[in-house]
Amino acid sequence: MELIGQGMEGAVYDLGDGTVRKVWFDRRPEDVRPLQAFLDELPELPFRTPRIREITAGEDGLAVSVEDKLTGVPLHEAGLPEEVALDAFVSVVEALRGVRPGPASRLLPVVGQPFWGRSWGAEFGGVGAASCRSRECASRAGRA
């Protein structure tokens, strides 16, 4: 297994078969299952989303998950011009616009707040517009 990434929540290892193993630093299996349910209720979208296939406990009792491997780089590391990166962000928000949060979504906080039944586009559009630095960005995210 090759370590391919490590972040705040865990270390990720390539299993070589299109999946990865994530060793969580401080979550138990019961802490990760709501995330799995949330990801499972996402509809098909024009881009890939994470899928947790299996959750077990390691020797220390912490969660170990097997997930589909998603290729690519984080948008902020892609080296794209700001305009192109913003277009990619807006495309994601537009794809999520009509998706309604399901029961599992209501159990997860988004930016510290629970979903209250609005659409994904409305929720993430608000987050995106709040993070935009210019009126043009807010306008393109549908919030001007």
Side-chain angles (χ1 to χ4, degrees), residues 24-116:
W24 297 78
F25 294 145
D26 61 0
R27 290 193 185 193
R28 300 200 172 282
E30 60 270 17
D31 300 327
V32 179
R33 284 190 187 96
L35 177 60
Q36 181 183 32
F38 163 78
L39 294 170
D40 285 348
E41 75 180 13
L42 288 176
E44 189 169 324
L45 294 163
F47 48 85
R48 291 186 62 200
T49 57
R51 295 290 182 204
I52 299 174
R53 301 300 177 186
E54 178 184 334
I55 302 169
T56 59
E59 290 180 16
D60 56 5
L62 296 176
V64 176
S65 58
V66 175
E67 307 178 18
D68 290 350
K69 181 179 180 181
L70 298 178
T71 57
V73 298
L75 190 56
H76 70 277
E77 294 176 9
L80 298 172
E82 185 175 337
E83 184 72 19
V84 174
L86 179 59
D87 286 344
F89 171 79
V90 171
S91 294
V92 169
V93 172
E94 288 175 347
L96 294 172
R97 178 182 307 164
V99 177
R100 301 294 300 178
S105 301
R106 290 177 176 86
L107 299 176
L108 294 176
V110 174
V111 192
Q113 301 295 317
F115 275 107
W116 297 107

Side-chain angles (χ1 to χ4, degrees), residues 117-136:
R118 298 183 342 170
S119 73
W120 284 90
E123 295 292 349
F124 285 116
V127 170
S131 68
C132 288
R133 293 185 199 133
S134 70
R135 180 165 171 72
E136 176 189 0

